[in-house]
C-alpha cells in the first residue's frame, strides 16, 4: 500500500486503503463496493467497510451509500476461484457501467435491477451466469484498459490521515 501511494502520488493520484468486515477477504472489491456514478455508491450490507475514515470521506464529498439488494439467483459453481458449492452470491454487484446512467446487470438479479432503476439508472439485463464459474461477472470480464476524457476528482475534500 505504501508503494502504491508513493507511485501514484507522483501522478497526483491519491490511494486509500480499505478494510472490509466479515469474510470479504475471500472476495474482491467488485462485490463489496460499486460506484455507480459520481455521488452514488452501492455497498455490500454484509461486508461493510471497517475504516471510519471512509464514511467520513464519502459524507464530506456528498456521496450517497446505498446497501445493495440481496442477490436471489442460486449459482451452480463447479470450478471457480471460490471452490465448488451451490449458493447465492454477491457477485450480482459486479456490474458494468456504460455511462453515468446506463448499467449492465446479471439478468437473474431482478430485485437488484429494480433497485437500480429506482435510483435513476437505465438497466440492461445481461445473461452472464455461465461466465461466473471462470472467476468473474460483468465488470471482471470487461474491465477497460484505456479511457477517454479527463481525469476528475470525485473526492476533493480529504480526511486527514486517510
Amino acid at each position: 500500500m505504501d508503494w502504491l501511494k508513493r507511485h501514484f502520488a507522483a501522478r497526483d493520484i491519491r490511494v486509500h486503503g480499505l478494510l472490509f468486515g466479515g469474510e470479504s477477504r475471500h472476495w474482491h472489491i467488485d462485490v463489496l463496493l460499486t460506484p455507480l456514478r459520481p455521488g452514488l455508491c452501492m455497498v455490500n450490507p454484509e461486508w461493510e467497510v471497517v475504516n471510519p475514515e471512509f464514511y467520513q470521506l464519502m459524507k464530506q464529498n456528498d456521496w450517497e451509500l446505498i446497501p445493495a439488494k440481496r442477490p436471489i439467483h442460486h449459482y451452480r459453481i463447479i470450478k471457480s476461484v471460490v471452490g465448488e458449492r451451490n449458493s447465492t452470491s454477491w457477485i450480482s454487484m459486479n456490474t458494468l457501467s456504460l455511462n453515468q446512467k446506463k448499467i449492465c446487470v446479471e439478468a437473474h438479479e431482478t430485485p437488484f435491477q429494480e433497485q437500480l432503476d429506482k435510483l435513476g439508472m437505465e438497466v440492461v439485463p445481461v445473461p452472464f451466469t455461465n461466465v461466473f464459474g471462470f472467476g468473474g461477472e460483468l465488470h471482471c470480464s470487461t474491465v477497460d484498459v484505456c479511457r477517454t476524457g479527463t481525469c476528475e476528482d470525485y473526492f476533493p475534500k480529504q480526511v486527514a490521515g486517510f
Side-chain angles (χ1 to χ4, degrees), residues 13-162:
I13 297 173
R14 294 181 301 270
V15 174
H16 298 284
L18 297 178
L19 296 174
F20 293 86
E23 296 183 31
S24 62
R25 66 187 178 280
H26 300 296
W27 290 95
H28 46 88
I29 200 157
D30 295 337
V31 300
L32 302 170
L33 185 75
T34 304
L36 299 172
R37 62 176 174 252
L40 183 62
C41 187
M42 195 66 66
V43 293
N44 186 317
E46 288 185 4
W47 300 327
E48 294 184 10
V49 178
V50 175
N51 313 65
E53 301 89 354
F54 166 76
Y55 296 100
Q56 186 180 352
L57 178 72
M58 298 303 265
K59 184 177 181 177
Q60 281 181 194
N61 289 280
D62 299 319
W63 278 73
E64 185 177 6
L65 299 173
I66 306 287
K69 287 283 186 182
R70 182 167 302 288
I72 61 166
H73 182 66
H74 188 80
Y75 290 87
R76 169 95 173 100
I77 306 163
I78 296 174
K79 291 181 180 178
S80 75
V81 294
V82 295
E84 187 170 342
R85 66 182 182 154
N86 292 309
S87 70
T88 55
S89 171
W90 285 101
I91 199 74
S92 57
M93 288 180 63
N94 192 303
T95 58
L96 172 64
S97 294
L98 300 176
N99 59 39
Q100 292 184 12
K101 289 280 190 180
K102 190 180 287 190
I103 189 167
C104 296
V105 179
E106 171 58 53
H108 296 294
E109 296 297 342
T110 51
F112 188 50
Q113 292 173 35
E114 291 168 5
Q115 180 183 30
L116 292 168
D117 183 60
K118 288 179 183 174
L119 291 169
M121 303 295 292
E122 179 184 342
V123 177
V124 179
V126 177
F128 212 70
T129 305
N130 292 335
V131 177
F132 176 65
F134 295 101
E137 262 286 343
L138 290 157
H139 188 253
C140 290
S141 300
T142 58
V143 174
D144 52 348
V145 293
C146 181
R147 295 184 183 189
T148 58
T150 60
C151 185
E152 297 180 45
D153 187 352
Y154 298 120
F155 301 96
K157 300 172 188 168
Q158 290 295 297
V159 175
F162 182 53

